[in-house]
Amino acid sequence: MSEERGDGGGTEFERVLAALRTRIAVGTYAVGSQIPPQRQLAEEFGVSRDTVQRVMRELNSEGWIKSRQGSGSRVVKSPTHVGLPPKLETPRVRAALGTFIERAFAQSIVQLDVFTLTSESLDAHIRLQAESIRLGEIHPERIKLRMLLPSESLDLPYPRAKKPEGEEGEEVPQRQPGQPDRLQERLRAITRRHTTSMRIALLDLKAEGLVGDIDVQVRHVPLTPTFKLYLRPGVEALFGPYEVVERTILLDDLTEVEARDVLGLGSTLTRHVNDEGDPDAPGSVFIESMQAWFDSCWNLLAEGL
């Protein structure tokens, strides 16, 4: 079956998946609520039922929904760092990426330093803020983003296909000899797609005369992310380790692979705030140390400078 393709070269599957993830994140589909029927979603997004079914399987494998034959799909979990209300967020406690990005874009000068496995989560929030700028809700004068991603040549420990039950030895390869690992290629394709989407979303703001200065830089480092880090230099930080899980990954040819993976959308983030006037306070020390770590990787480890 050929994959439906939309504008910008992205698949319709990715477009619908991103939209539904965002709706779950911001509470349009709250925990416990029912996702609209597949036929209704197919009509709304202008895609086939097969595409919607693939999206439902992906959301189910990521743990956000549970689907039952004859009773539809219900939201059972909300990404902890994507869209929780600010009232649930306290310093050095579970935090939300959505409100962190909102605080950054509420400033006249937006500065963000990011280290992550992919740019998928950040892309969704950058595009939401870009829309707020177009609507005249916020008015930043300058946006500066630096992002560190793992080198594309790096052999990452996840995602990896699981060994069949009871067998010893290495993980099951999802490739023929001499061919790239399909799970790793899928991960890299997701990263490229969202990094490009985010860059375009920001640069378009400058082209439209809405933001005077846009500086987006992406560098790659020979490191496997075991955590994700978001920094507003000198102000606050979000930090969260990736949790390794077992889940089913659906490849483009509809092959289902049982794999060990990490779910960025499900990682728990903690917020650390600069305690003004007390450089020895835990929040201040944490931000300073993580900023020093980020800058050292940016300057000394990044490839293609």
Side-chain angles (χ1 to χ4, degrees):
M1 182 179 68
S2 62
E3 180 63 67
E4 297 169 292
R5 295 199 169 266
D7 295 338
T11 65
E12 295 293 352
F13 166 78
E14 291 290 346
R15 177 172 68 88
V16 177
L17 178 61
L20 294 190
R21 278 176 175 161
T22 299
R23 291 179 185 183
I24 293 173
V26 301
T28 303
Y29 303 148
V31 173
S33 68
Q34 200 82 6
I35 299 290
Q38 293 183 10
R39 183 182 302 278
Q40 179 179 330
L41 291 172
E43 292 176 356
E44 176 185 352
F45 290 102
V47 299
S48 69
R49 286 282 298 278
D50 286 343
T51 296
V52 175
Q53 288 172 0
R54 286 188 61 200
V55 169
M56 293 298 106
R57 286 198 294 267
E58 181 69 11
L59 291 173
N60 189 77
S61 75
E62 292 177 351
W64 311 128
I65 68 172
K66 288 295 182 184
S67 301
R68 291 186 178 180
Q69 187 70 30
S71 58
S73 300
R74 186 177 299 276
V75 178
V76 296
K77 181 179 178 183
S78 178
T80 58
H81 73 283
V82 177
L84 291 178
K87 66 181 180 181
L88 297 182
E89 187 177 345
T90 57
R92 292 182 293 279
V93 182
R94 188 174 302 224
L97 178 58
T99 52
F100 174 87
I101 299 299
E102 287 176 6
R103 285 192 296 272
F105 272 78
Q107 311 305 312
S108 60
I109 298 177
V110 179
Q111 288 186 278
L112 291 170
D113 288 340
V114 179
F115 173 65
T116 184
L117 180 62
T118 72
S119 54
E120 189 171 11
S121 301
L122 185 61
D123 177 32
H125 291 293
I126 291 293
R127 287 188 282 109
L128 285 173
Q129 294 304 309
E131 187 61 26
S132 293
I133 292 172
R134 289 192 176 88
L135 293 173
E137 297 173 349
I138 52 178
H139 307 277
E141 299 172 4
R142 183 185 182 198
I143 300 173
K144 181 177 181 179
L145 169 64
R146 298 192 301 175
M147 176 176 289
L148 286 174
L149 296 169
S151 303
E152 291 203 346
S153 60
L154 201 62
D155 190 20
L156 297 168
Y158 37 72
R160 292 282 185 182
K162 288 173 52 181
K163 294 176 292 187
E165 193 70 28
E167 290 192 12
E168 301 293 334
E170 298 296 324
E171 287 88 349
V172 181
Q174 292 300 310
R175 64 183 184 277
Q176 298 298 321
Q179 293 182 343
D181 185 291
R182 297 175 68 190
L183 293 178
Q184 303 265 316
E185 279 297 300
R186 175 183 179 273
L187 179 72
R188 285 189 279 268
I190 289 172
T191 303
R192 293 187 205 110
R193 180 163 55 250
H194 288 285
T195 302
T196 299
S197 168
M198 181 176 56
R199 189 192 298 270
I200 291 173
L202 291 174
L203 293 177
D204 280 350
L205 295 174
K206 183 176 181 180
E208 296 167 21
L210 297 173
V211 179
D213 185 22
I214 302 287
D215 182 9
V216 182
Q217 299 183 55
V218 179
R219 295 183 180 179
H220 294 82
V221 289
L223 299 173
T224 297
T226 57
F227 61 87
K228 56 172 54 183
L229 174 68
Y230 301 91
L231 287 164
R232 292 178 58 206
V235 179
E236 66 174 316
L238 293 190
F239 175 89
Y242 285 105
E243 180 183 356
V244 180
V245 299
E246 294 184 346
R247 73 182 189 102
T248 302
I249 295 178
L250 187 67
L251 299 177
D252 285 343
D253 63 358
L254 303 186
T255 299
E256 292 186 347
V257 180
E258 297 299 320
R260 293 184 177 91
D261 195 11
V262 291
L263 292 178
L265 289 174
S267 59
T268 299
L269 295 176
T270 56
R271 181 184 178 216
H272 302 259
V273 181
N274 186 358
D275 300 283
E276 295 183 4
D278 187 359
D280 295 324
S284 303
V285 172
F286 181 87
I287 292 172
E288 182 180 357
S289 63
M290 295 311 298
Q291 189 68 59
W293 175 87
F294 183 95
D295 290 339
S296 67
C297 293
W298 184 268
N299 294 319
L300 301 177
L301 289 181
E303 302 168 347
L305 303 184

